[in-house]
Amino acid sequence: MIAGLAAAPALLAPPVLEPFDGGTHTSSYLVEGTVDTLRLDSKVLILRNDVVIDSAATVKTKSFSVRIPLLPGKNTITAVRVAVIDSVLQVSPPSNAVHVNFVETETFFIPVPFPPGGSFDLNPGREASGATLRVYDMVGDEVARFENRTPRSYYSFIWDGLNGGSEAVRRGPLIAVAVIDYPDGTHDVRRRAFLFDPGASR
Amino acid sequence: MSRRAAMAAAALCMLVPALARADSSEGGAFMLPGYGARAWGMAGAVIARVDDESAVDWNPAGLSLARRAAGLAYVELVPESFVTQAQAVFVTPIGSAHVPDSGASRHAAGAMLSTLSADLGNGDTYRENHLRLAYAWCPQPLVSFAFGGQAFMSRSGVADFDAWGTSVDMAARLAVTRKWSAAVVARNVFSRYSYNDDRDQHKDASYVVGLAREGIHGVGLEADMVYIHEGWHHALFGVETDYLFGVLALRGGASILSAGETRNSFSFGASALAANRLVLHYAATLDEDEAFGTMHRFSLAVRL
């Protein structure tokens, strides 16, 4: 599985990843999982399509989370735990597999209908310097606004269904306007209509 | 400036500080912008001056001043998002009775059909259809009263988003002098709509007051204030010329919206009149790029 490393099923149990098998519209995925024990000398390697791309420490806590970039199309994500035991580098058997299909054509994703606690997901297509998102009603009055000034290649804004005055927003059509700013000074504006349902579940 | 004008300006200025309080919208269905490019060329500041087919939507009390006419209007409401609005209107005096000294019709009525279409991006389309009927009564030259009723419905293919409902508006217009007029419109004073899961909603009531001045070297001015979302959140200013050379009218307007964070938008428009019967209106609204951007509106009216 990984060249140069021997599996040691008797000494190291494999990590357990949060199950997922589906599609995503953002260019990264948050891998979450747990290990069975704490070890000072171990870490978890994250593999995408059998290639190691990142790692996570499991020194202080048994749970770990790592956001990894995705390739367009199917991504099979697994994890192995490595540790030095009796001066020998040991590798656990692989974890359960998580299958994530990255649909890169979707750049502004809004669930239909939009539930309280749902998220607006933006895929800028390249590294951006920041993004803002505003929600308006159909006559152009503002309902809510969000902002993220962290440079990144995706943005996700979670909305609890309350307006700027912390009042519950009613069911009906709304307009989301996302503005993505890029380091070169340009910006991209994307507008989408969506249906908000305060009674829908995530 | 005359004493009346000074008092009116002072009254408006007293309302401006209330705009500092910005309450956000609570959203909801069946909210549509008003009819026609003529009104939007003046940023919607029209309720005191409107005297054509668009009165059926903006202020039905203005129907008493309108000739019999039919009209069509279209706008891409939210650019680049496939949200469009199309409307058809018809207005007519009822009977031949006119109010002496003003030329206004003693009774007038109008009807409007509106369709909103919004692409939801996953193969679903949300649609609303509205039917509006309005009636105006002008008992004497100074004042006219009106009320309007709407029935509306929505369809989308999305579960629990089919709804229907009704609402009622009331309006009045006052000719203060030959050149000054004032108006008040109360929208959705009674409203109710229901989804197919029996959850009832109501539309936000809004109240508009307007003051207009005609005949300043062939130019008309109007300022309107809108009370909505529990505050005075819209201030609208519009200007319109008479038909220059009998053919072309020009318009401009500005709006200050303070529901949520305050923003300004500007409008301009023009109308071309042909054979004293056919009028083509155009308006552009320049909103902030972070909001709706630039919207282009077209409407066509035929004086019958």
Side-chain angles (χ1 to χ4, degrees), chain B residues 50-101:
Chain B
V50 65
D51 59 358
D52 63 359
E53 69 283 352
S54 51
V56 71
D57 200 6
W58 291 95
N59 182 358
L63 289 173
S64 58
L65 302 174
R67 295 168 52 173
R68 180 176 295 129
L72 298 170
Y74 175 83
V75 60
E76 185 181 21
L77 196 58
V78 185
E80 302 163 9
S81 69
F82 306 106
V83 180
T84 60
Q85 180 183 352
Q87 293 163 298
V89 300
F90 173 75
V91 301
T92 180
I94 300 175
S96 57
H98 286 77
V99 179
D101 298 329

Side-chain angles (χ1 to χ4, degrees), chain A residues 4 6 26 32 43 46 68 82 112 134 138 162 184 189 194:
Chain A
T26 55
E32 296 177 294
K43 60 170 55 180
I46 309 298
I68 63 169
V82 296
V112 179
R134 294 173 176 80
M138 297 304 283
L162 302 180
D184 60 2
V189 181
F194 69 101

Side-chain angles (χ1 to χ4, degrees), chain A residues 117-142:
Chain A
S119 65
F120 302 93
D121 295 317
L122 278 172
N123 184 3
R126 54 188 170 109
E127 187 80 3
S129 58
T132 60
L133 186 136
R134 294 173 176 80
V135 179
Y136 297 95
D137 63 22
M138 297 304 283
V139 295
D141 286 342
E142 186 177 301

Side-chain angles (χ1 to χ4, degrees), chain A residues 112-184:
Chain A
V112 179
F114 190 103
S119 65
F120 302 93
D121 295 317
L122 278 172
N123 184 3
R126 54 188 170 109
E127 187 80 3
S129 58
T132 60
L133 186 136
R134 294 173 176 80
V135 179
Y136 297 95
D137 63 22
M138 297 304 283
V139 295
D141 286 342
E142 186 177 301
V143 176
R145 60 168 46 202
F146 311 88
E147 187 171 11
N148 188 330
R149 287 291 146 204
T150 305
R152 56 195 319 172
S153 59
Y154 78 94
Y155 295 91
S156 182
F157 297 103
I158 298 173
W159 183 33
D160 57 5
L162 302 180
N163 68 3
S166 298
E167 298 160 311
V169 174
R170 300 192 197 102
R171 179 191 295 188
L174 296 169
I175 303 294
V177 181
V179 179
I180 304 166
D181 298 312
Y182 297 100
D184 60 2

Side-chain angles (χ1 to χ4, degrees), chain B residues 279-295:
Chain B
V279 190
L280 178 64
H281 303 290
Y282 164 77
T285 301
L286 310 178
D287 199 353
E288 293 183 359
D289 218 22
E290 291 81 5
F292 285 11
T294 300
M295 291 168 278

Side-chain angles (χ1 to χ4, degrees), chain A residues 4-6 41 82-85 87-91:
Chain A
L5 295 178
D41 55 353
V82 296
V84 176
I85 300 175
S87 302
V88 176
L89 183 64
Q90 303 290 337
V91 180

